[in-house]
Amino acid sequence: MLRKLVLLGLAAAIVGLCVFWFVTIPATIPASALAPYTPNAANGREMFYAGGCTSCHATPGQEDRTRLGGGLGLKSPFGTFYVPNISSDPNDGIGKWSEADFLTAMQKGTSPDGRHYFPAFPYGSYQRMRTEDVRDLFAHLKTLPPVQGKVRDHDVPFPFNVRRLVGGWKFLYLDGQPFQGDSARPAEWNRGAYLVNAPGHCAECHSPRTALGGIIAAQRFAGGPNPEGEGWVPNITQKGLGDYSEKDIAYLLETGQTPDGDSVGGSMTTVVRNTAQLTPEDRNAIAAYLKTLAPVEGPKKPEKSKKD
Amino acid sequence: MLRTVIAVAAIAIGVTAVAAQSDPIAARKALMKEQGAQTKIGAGMAKGEAPFDLSKAQAIFANYIDTAAKMPELFPPNSKTGGETTAAPKIWEDPAGFKAGFVKLSNEAKAAQSNVKDLDSFKSAFGGVTKNCGGCHESYRVKKS
């Protein structure tokens, strides 16, 4: 009897492992899936700034934000991630990557050597980008200067350093769906919704997360504790931005200034360095979309301040 | 009359100085608040919500210069916490970088004072000078709520 139970348990474990193995296979996009295409340089630049690549990939403390040598330490509850070099350098950056490699990274979160990227790289949002936009972005990245130097390994302790486990995270939180617009809404709203949810990846910081690091869908955009440590990320639903006009939001994205004469700080400062480079139409579209986000109560703040 | 004005001014300065010494957190918050109020006036003009007014524009830059001169002294080591301060620890870890930010703000505000003549020159100068707000808040302020 005991023998049978042990055998049964063993069989269940093997089946479970097989299922886990199957479910967590890193997905890729084959080169054969890509039709011939001529990239649009202007759109590539717009995607580059909408995507905020430089916020994380520009080497810290460097004036020129287009030198993407990486190295920034991104703190998280799971350890510190060191942002890789995505400059056009053939050895240390992505100079040797194919278009399919880049699409696979952006939309499947899988590296050219077939490993899962940690979702500190916000492919949960980038997966929603249009393939053409990703191809234009790739073409733009190729025009930026090569920067030598490999970035150090992540400082992520066991068990989070087991890459295969990221496959489980993807199973839970990565749906592989492209952006879905709303044909009942104006074109500007749809553009804004796309910029915010796909390249802009605003929800990645402006939403609370589960203990496993997934965005809590019901509180998307409702802010929460800063994943990088101290401080609080603001609620950008109408609960938090009810007093902002569309013009106020667009002006903030251009200048970093809030309607009360304050300025944004922390990581948002680098975000604004990017959004300041977007076309005014795109900033207005983002503002138009954000103004339609229903008010959602975020996680409770640790201390109440009279000021807020 | 003149004597009264001087006396009142002297008392006002004295009170401010004492307040700054006894409660630097409240003093720097008040300065930031006033700077924010001035910036709001500037943003209103830059956004076209309010008509351009050269004397208001000059007052904004004068306020920046004044604030930049007073702020660096309001962060003694005993004011790292308390009073709902949003001051980041980096202020005391990198005092040179922190102070350099105010020198830059002051210099750029002075340049703006002499360059601004109309709405267009104001927009460009105001946009440039106020980059310093975020430049400093990026590293030296932590919003806790």
Side-chain angles (χ1 to χ4, degrees), chain A residues 17 27 81 88 134-135 147 178 194 201 215 231 234 242 244 257 284 303:
Chain A
L17 267 176
F81 299 101
S88 56
V134 178
R135 296 176 85 171
V147 180
Y194 175 72
H201 66 278
I215 289 174
Y244 284 52
Q257 285 177 41
N284 293 342
E303 58 188 87

Side-chain angles (χ1 to χ4, degrees), chain A residues 107-143:
Chain A
Q107 298 187 325
K108 302 292 178 192
T110 303
S111 69
D113 61 1
R115 296 195 304 158
H116 292 301
Y117 282 121
F118 289 111
F121 170 40
Y123 48 77
S125 294
Y126 293 154
Q127 64 169 342
R128 313 239 185 269
M129 287 178 74
R130 274 187 294 266
T131 297
E132 297 74 39
D133 285 341
V134 178
R135 296 176 85 171
D136 292 346
L137 171 60
F138 185 56
H140 181 76
L141 289 176
K142 291 255 179 180
T143 67

Side-chain angles (χ1 to χ4, degrees), chain A residues 122-178:
Chain A
Y123 48 77
S125 294
Y126 293 154
Q127 64 169 342
R128 313 239 185 269
M129 287 178 74
R130 274 187 294 266
T131 297
E132 297 74 39
D133 285 341
V134 178
R135 296 176 85 171
D136 292 346
L137 171 60
F138 185 56
H140 181 76
L141 289 176
K142 291 255 179 180
T143 67
L144 301 180
V147 180
Q148 285 184 354
K150 269 256 184 289
V151 171
R152 57 159 292 179
D153 285 341
H154 300 309
D155 183 9
V156 176
F158 184 82
F160 304 116
N161 60 351
V162 180
R163 295 264 184 166
R164 195 78 191 195
L165 289 176
V166 175
W169 186 93
K170 288 182 176 176
F171 179 71
L172 293 173
Y173 299 114
L174 200 71
D175 60 15
Q177 294 298 311

Side-chain angles (χ1 to χ4, degrees), chain B residues 35-56:
Chain B
Q35 192 167 52
Q38 290 293 328
T39 305
K40 190 177 176 181
I41 297 171
M45 297 197 288
K47 275 192 264 190
E49 287 167 353
F52 175 70
D53 180 327
L54 184 60
S55 64
K56 279 185 188 165

Side-chain angles (χ1 to χ4, degrees), chain A:
Chain A
M1 184 61 200
L2 183 67
R3 207 185 137 96
K4 266 190 182 166
L5 266 180
V6 168
L7 276 175
L8 200 70
L10 218 64
I14 288 168
V15 170
L17 267 176
C18 286
V19 169
F20 174 80
W21 192 254
F22 181 76
V23 163
T24 60
I25 292 172
T28 57
I29 295 173
S32 59
L34 297 177
Y37 180 72
T38 310
N40 175 332
N43 186 52
R45 182 187 181 278
E46 193 75 358
M47 285 301 128
F48 177 71
Y49 288 110
C53 314
T54 73
S55 296
C56 286
H57 289 282
T59 306
Q62 167 190 278
E63 213 36 58
D64 182 354
R65 307 299 294 171
T66 62
R67 293 174 54 83
L68 306 174
L72 175 73
L74 211 56
K75 289 190 190 124
S76 85
F78 308 101
T80 301
F81 299 101
Y82 288 90
V83 180
N85 181 336
I86 59 159
S87 76
S88 56
D89 188 83
N91 300 312
D92 300 328
I94 63 170
K96 281 185 190 151
W97 285 28
S98 70
E99 250 189 327
D101 287 338
F102 188 69
L103 267 158
T104 297
M106 292 285 286
Q107 298 187 325
K108 302 292 178 192
T110 303
S111 69
D113 61 1
R115 296 195 304 158
H116 292 301
Y117 282 121
F118 289 111
F121 170 40
Y123 48 77
S125 294
Y126 293 154
Q127 64 169 342
R128 313 239 185 269
M129 287 178 74
R130 274 187 294 266
T131 297
E132 297 74 39
D133 285 341
V134 178
R135 296 176 85 171
D136 292 346
L137 171 60
F138 185 56
H140 181 76
L141 289 176
K142 291 255 179 180
T143 67
L144 301 180
V147 180
Q148 285 184 354
K150 269 256 184 289
V151 171
R152 57 159 292 179
D153 285 341
H154 300 309
D155 183 9
V156 176
F158 184 82
F160 304 116
N161 60 351
V162 180
R163 295 264 184 166
R164 195 78 191 195
L165 289 176
V166 175
W169 186 93
K170 288 182 176 176
F171 179 71
L172 293 173
Y173 299 114
L174 200 71
D175 60 15
Q177 294 298 311
F179 171 74
Q180 302 287 341
D182 180 351
S183 56
R185 301 268 196 174
E188 184 185 48
W189 182 93
N190 277 287
R191 174 70 175 171
Y194 175 72
L195 290 170
V196 165
N197 288 289
H201 66 278
C202 309
E204 302 281 344
C205 286
H206 285 281
S207 311
R209 288 176 182 268
T210 65
L212 292 175
I215 289 174
I216 299 172
Q219 289 182 311
R220 195 171 167 85
F221 300 119
N226 181 1
E228 289 177 68
E230 244 200 336
W232 200 263
V233 182
N235 186 332
I236 57 169
T237 70
Q238 283 302 287
K239 181 88 195 167
L241 298 186
D243 295 343
Y244 284 52
S245 67
E246 278 184 33
K247 209 170 182 180
D248 288 336
I249 297 174
Y251 190 73
L252 184 151
L253 295 172
E254 184 189 352
T255 64
Q257 285 177 41
T258 63
D260 58 359
D262 197 351
S263 82
V264 299
S267 310
M268 195 61 196
T269 323
T270 54
V271 174
V272 169
R273 279 189 202 113
N274 294 315
T275 53
Q277 300 291 326
L278 296 176
T279 63
E281 291 76 22
D282 275 349
R283 281 192 296 269
N284 293 342
I286 292 171
Y289 169 70
L290 290 180
K291 275 307 281 181
T292 65
L293 291 178
V296 174
E297 189 77 60
K300 214 171 150 37
K301 290 173 189 174
E303 58 188 87
K304 261 283 173 261
S305 162
K306 280 178 292 183
K307 208 175 65 192
D308 298 303

